[in-house]
Amino acid sequence: MKKKRVVLVTKTPYNTSEDMMSEESHQDQEVCLKPWCFFCSMREPDASLRRVGISNYFKEMPLCEDKEDYDQYVLVLSELWHIAMTQSNDPEFPSLGIFKCMANLINKAINDKTWLLTNQNIYIPYYAAHIIGSYTMNKEEFAQIAVQSGVIPPLLELLRGKISWVEQRVAVRALGHLASYESTFDSVSEYEQEVVKVTLNLACTCLEVVYSEFVGVKKKKRVEYHRNLLTRGVGDLEMENRKAEEWGSQLQCWCIHLLNCFAFKERCLNLICQKEFLKELCHMWGGLVNHTSPGGVGLLRILCYSKFGRKIIAEIPKVIINLGNISRSSDDWQYMGIDCLLLLLKDSDTRFKVIDIAASYLVDLVELKTLGDKSNVGETITKVLLLEEHKLHNNRDLQQVLNLKVYRRKKEKALWEEKLEERRVLVGLIKQEANDKLRLGKVEEALVKYNEALEVCPLKLRKERMVLYSNKAQCNLVLKNPESAISDSTRALCLSNPANTHRKSLWRRSQAYDMKGMARESLLDCIVFMKKQHQQRSLKIPYHAARMICKHMDATWLFAAARSSRLIRVMKKKKNHHSNHENEANNCEVNFHDRNSGGLMPGLSTINGEPFAAKEVSRRKVQRTRRRIKKANIAAAQPIM
């Protein structure tokens, strides 16, 4: 005999059990014939009976084989997902067996494909793993309950890719939370070899997988439940793509976070410190959609705290160069790049392997005072660079630091206030002379004068030195010396107050990075420049800055590399297909496609080089047409003799 209960039919998600009960007087009542029902239990006014009912439901839910109940599963899990997201610190459900229930549901989905594909059960593994991750995000005691409930093995199955990348995303998120607590790390580390190997591979390939399986697929061919999960069933194509980019970034960054947990404990460093992976790690930055994760540089910093990690990183010049670029950029994690270089320089075993590359970047930062909440950054850099001072004579950058921060500082220490003012006037006169030469187009002479003014200008006059360095950067831009322009504009930004806020220097460094084809660094500087422009209450967006941003948004798109790889594969496939034909017309067509393949590959062109010859031709035609029209109008306007 089935038990009868009263159930309220509603599709509105509730924040608390009280919200559910408050709706009782406004809903129609229906007879519930189920011996156990989640929604009935939630509406039970007696707290003890409600807890017993919910606990029984969590036990019975994975065991149910009644197909009529399958429709309710997704509704229940969607409600639990909402509660876990909004009340992740509430101990009620974790104490009633929700983790055991979710683990059993994931196991059932993986082991019973027929059940998984019945009705809407395909959504269940995603919701179950997400609920585990949400409840273990903030509370270590919840993580302990989850581990005791056996959630790690089913999460590992999802991490291996048993279903799809969508489930991998929530699985790596949950495992990252479990691995971040001292009391539950050992439980995750029991599978450390497999976890690290799978996560390494996932971090390197996830963006290409998301692009090939979703973003690069036509809307009609996309997996329906992926689309519904991404947009909650209410979004259009644009929202789907935007959310897919966000989820792809999160998947990669959460993989890096999980690896961070092992690197911090100095576990599996031999796997994490593979040179090819570290090279790829340099390009994992989360994109513009993820501001909360440091991406690859965060893991590199953790590795630099270990002896073994420093040893491997010091042997890869590409990684050192990338860290240097981060340290001279507008990246939110700039200080991490600086910190990595300093850790490598402090270690006597790695110092002389990286000193030549690292010093060429850090020398531009020695006058930096504060960076966010970090103080005396420039002084710290100076001290590290000048370690073992007797070995500096062979390095021009280090000699420059020694002259600027030691010898010159001693000379100017006793400079009187009156003498300081005289120097200020003299610097102003030399600067004016340099400005005049620059206006007249005598750029090289102007550059010499700016250097002369910097030699005379006391270190205390930071604002004057900032302007001189910024003007030097402009000269180097005109002379097509992007590396010197980057160096000078970086020094100007270090002297600004607060740091990295001088608008002209930001724009000039953005242009210099663009000349070198460094799209990410150029874009970040340009974005900060636009922010500073907005803070000055300038509502008009400069055309040149808007054009720069539009140009680099495509090159720095999260899936740009995946898209390029796919285009290359398609072109190779076409080339192989056409090469099998003996017809000359087909061969000519193949050559035509080869010649134009450069224009099809995104992210390779910069603002100074656009491989779109067709646009140039059309513009010339328009100009010739305008000249002909102008001549015709002039002839028509002349009086008849």
Side-chain angles (χ1 to χ4, degrees):
M1 184 73 180
K2 286 190 176 181
K3 185 179 178 182
K4 291 188 177 182
R5 288 191 180 185
V6 175
V7 64
L8 302 181
V9 180
T10 177
K11 293 185 178 180
T12 305
Y14 301 102
N15 291 332
T16 63
S17 56
E18 287 77 8
D19 293 337
M20 285 186 172
M21 291 185 290
S22 66
E23 295 288 328
E24 186 170 358
S25 59
H26 303 289
Q27 302 289 339
D28 295 328
Q29 293 185 342
E30 292 185 1
V31 176
C32 178
L33 302 177
K34 297 175 183 177
W36 41 268
C37 174
F38 176 76
F39 295 108
C40 292
S41 300
M42 288 294 290
R43 292 185 181 87
E44 177 62 55
D46 189 307
S48 60
L49 291 178
R50 183 173 71 249
R51 288 176 60 85
V52 170
I54 294 171
S55 178
N56 289 334
Y57 183 81
F58 287 155
K59 291 176 184 177
E60 297 293 334
M61 185 181 182
L63 304 176
C64 178
E65 298 295 340
D66 189 351
K67 292 185 178 181
E68 294 180 0
D69 293 328
Y70 290 171
D71 292 332
Q72 191 188 45
Y73 278 9
V74 175
L75 290 175
V76 172
L77 284 173
S78 180
E79 183 65 32
L80 290 171
W81 170 84
H82 179 78
I83 294 172
M85 288 285 287
T86 56
Q87 304 173 52
S88 59
N89 296 331
D90 188 346
E92 183 177 26
F93 289 165
S95 66
L96 296 178
I98 192 171
F99 293 124
K100 186 72 174 177
C101 177
M102 298 301 110
N104 289 336
L105 286 173
I106 295 172
N107 280 325
K108 189 171 185 177
I110 292 169
N111 298 323
D112 190 346
K113 189 175 180 180
T114 304
W115 179 84
L116 179 64
L117 299 178
T118 302
N119 293 0
Q120 293 185 314
N121 291 351
I122 191 68
Y123 294 91
I124 289 176
Y126 170 84
Y127 279 124
H130 203 298
I131 290 166
I132 294 171
S134 296
Y135 273 117
T136 57
M137 183 166 49
N138 301 320
K139 294 282 189 177
E140 186 171 0
E141 53 267 34
F142 293 174
Q144 293 171 352
I145 298 172
V147 168
Q148 293 167 6
S149 302
V151 300
I152 294 179
L155 289 175
L156 281 176
E157 290 294 315
L158 295 181
L159 184 66
R160 295 184 187 109
K162 286 297 179 71
I163 300 180
S164 75
W165 64 270
V166 170
E167 288 77 19
Q168 283 179 305
R169 169 181 168 268
V170 287
V172 76
R173 169 180 178 255
L175 287 170
H177 294 159
L178 297 175
S180 62
Y181 297 115
E182 191 72 32
S183 59
T184 55
F185 173 80
D186 289 339
S187 299
V188 181
S189 66
E190 291 178 10
Y191 311 88
E192 63 180 13
Q193 292 286 327
E194 183 182 8
V195 169
V196 170
K197 286 179 181 178
V198 173
T199 308
L200 282 170
N201 181 64
L202 185 58
C204 294
T205 61
C206 62
L207 296 183
E208 191 165 348
V209 170
V210 176
Y211 182 80
S212 62
E213 294 185 5
F214 191 85
V215 178
V217 178
K218 292 181 180 179
K219 184 176 181 179
K220 293 181 180 179
K221 295 184 178 180
R222 291 179 175 179
V223 180
E224 186 68 23
Y225 89 94
H226 286 180
R227 294 175 56 199
N228 291 334
L229 286 173
L230 282 163
T231 63
R232 305 294 292 167
V234 293
D236 55 7
L237 182 64
E238 183 181 354
M239 181 180 285
E240 285 180 13
N241 291 335
R242 189 167 65 249
K243 290 296 292 184
E245 183 177 359
E246 181 183 333
W247 281 23
S249 173
Q250 290 173 346
L251 174 55
Q252 189 175 67
C253 290
W254 288 340
C255 285
I256 294 172
H257 171 71
L258 181 55
L259 295 173
N260 265 331
C261 296
F262 287 93
F264 182 76
K265 299 281 188 179
E266 299 192 17
R267 305 282 286 268
C268 292
L269 290 183
N270 60 323
L271 294 176
I272 298 174
C273 292
Q274 298 177 49
K275 291 186 178 181
E276 290 304 316
F277 172 70
L278 294 179
K279 289 177 184 178
E280 291 191 38
L281 193 63
C282 296
H283 305 291
M284 299 180 190
W285 64 297
L288 296 176
V289 297
N290 195 339
H291 301 283
T292 59
S293 172
V297 68
L299 179 54
L300 288 172
R301 187 190 185 206
I302 295 294
L303 293 173
C304 283
Y305 277 103
S306 68
K307 188 80 173 175
F308 182 81
R310 290 194 297 271
K311 178 178 178 291
I312 301 299
I313 290 173
E315 296 172 356
I316 312 174
K318 182 180 178 181
V319 176
I320 308 303
I321 291 170
N322 185 266
L323 291 172
N325 290 332
I326 293 174
S327 68
R328 292 196 310 184
S329 72
S330 296
D331 197 306
D332 292 338
W333 312 102
Q334 179 187 2
Y335 75 92
M336 286 192 175
I338 297 172
D339 203 19
C340 288
L341 294 177
L342 294 182
L343 289 168
L344 291 167
L345 290 172
K346 288 177 182 178
D347 189 340
S348 58
D349 293 333
T350 58
R351 177 178 175 83
F352 294 101
K353 293 180 180 179
V354 304
I355 187 69
D356 291 333
I357 300 175
S360 64
Y361 292 96
L362 293 178
V363 68
D364 299 328
L365 305 170
V366 293
E367 293 191 84
L368 181 62
K369 280 192 172 181
T370 59
L371 187 61
D373 59 346
K374 315 291 181 183
S375 58
N376 299 320
V377 179
E379 292 300 317
T380 304
I381 294 172
T382 301
K383 289 177 182 177
V384 174
L385 288 176
L386 297 183
L387 289 172
E388 302 186 24
E389 191 174 323
H390 60 284
K391 297 181 181 180
L392 302 182
H393 61 280
N394 293 327
N395 192 301
R396 190 187 63 167
D397 293 321
L398 297 181
Q399 194 63 44
Q400 187 179 352
V401 175
L402 185 65
N403 293 334
L404 181 70
K405 301 292 286 185
V406 180
Y407 300 150
R408 188 165 173 180
R409 181 180 285 181
K410 287 181 180 178
K411 287 181 182 179
E412 296 180 2
K413 197 170 185 180
L415 200 64
W416 295 349
E417 194 66 34
E418 185 179 339
K419 193 73 174 176
L420 188 68
E421 196 59 37
E422 290 179 7
R423 290 277 190 93
R424 191 196 301 271
V425 174
L426 179 60
V427 167
L429 293 173
I430 300 174
K431 186 186 104 175
Q432 186 59 48
E433 187 178 350
N435 290 345
D436 294 338
K437 290 184 179 296
L438 185 59
R439 284 194 208 88
L440 294 172
K442 300 176 181 179
V443 183
E444 293 181 351
E445 294 180 20
L447 188 59
V448 172
K449 282 295 179 182
Y450 285 128
N451 281 326
E452 183 183 337
L454 282 167
E455 288 295 323
V456 176
C457 187
L459 299 178
K460 293 181 180 179
L461 302 181
R462 293 177 64 86
K463 186 175 181 180
E464 286 77 1
R465 289 174 63 78
M466 177 191 72
V467 174
L468 291 171
Y469 274 123
S470 186
N471 290 353
K472 266 191 71 183
Q474 180 61 31
C475 292
N476 281 308
L477 278 175
V478 176
L479 295 172
K480 305 296 182 184
N481 295 328
E483 188 58 44
S484 298
I486 292 169
S487 176
D488 290 328
S489 52
T490 299
R491 296 184 185 203
L493 289 166
C494 289
L495 290 164
S496 62
N497 186 25
N500 299 327
T501 55
H502 189 235
R503 287 183 296 158
K504 287 185 177 179
S505 298
L506 284 166
W507 172 240
R508 287 163 182 168
R509 191 169 69 176
S510 178
Q511 290 177 287
Y513 275 131
D514 175 66
M515 284 184 182
K516 293 190 70 178
M518 300 170 67
R520 184 178 80 176
E521 289 77 8
S522 178
L523 176 64
L524 291 174
D525 279 342
C526 198
I527 290 173
V528 177
F529 165 74
M530 294 291 287
K531 287 181 180 178
K532 300 304 173 188
Q533 189 84 353
H534 180 69
Q535 289 174 2
Q536 295 294 324
R537 297 183 180 179
S538 176
L539 299 178
K540 185 177 180 181
I541 299 175
Y543 168 75
H544 50 273
R547 183 168 177 258
M548 182 80 83
I549 288 177
C550 292
K551 194 74 175 179
H552 291 317
M553 283 293 287
D554 183 69
T556 58
W557 186 41
L558 191 68
F559 300 111
R563 180 177 58 183
S564 298
S565 299
R566 183 175 178 179
L567 286 172
I568 291 171
R569 287 196 300 270
V570 170
M571 287 187 288
K572 284 183 178 179
K573 187 176 180 181
K574 285 183 178 179
K575 186 176 179 179
N576 293 334
H577 174 72
H578 288 296
S579 64
N580 293 329
H581 298 277
E582 297 179 356
N583 194 304
E584 290 186 4
N586 289 339
N587 289 334
C588 293
E589 187 178 352
V590 171
N591 293 330
F592 175 79
H593 286 307
D594 287 343
R595 286 196 301 272
N596 289 280
S597 62
L600 294 172
M601 295 174 65
L604 299 182
S605 62
T606 67
I607 208 158
N608 291 320
E610 301 177 3
F612 298 108
K615 291 186 178 180
E616 296 294 331
V617 172
S618 63
R619 188 164 64 246
R620 287 197 294 270
K621 286 183 179 179
V622 170
Q623 290 173 351
R624 285 198 296 268
T625 304
R626 285 176 177 172
R627 284 198 294 269
R628 285 198 299 269
I629 294 172
K630 186 176 181 180
K631 287 180 181 178
N633 291 337
I634 292 172
Q638 290 178 351
I640 299 174
M641 300 297 294

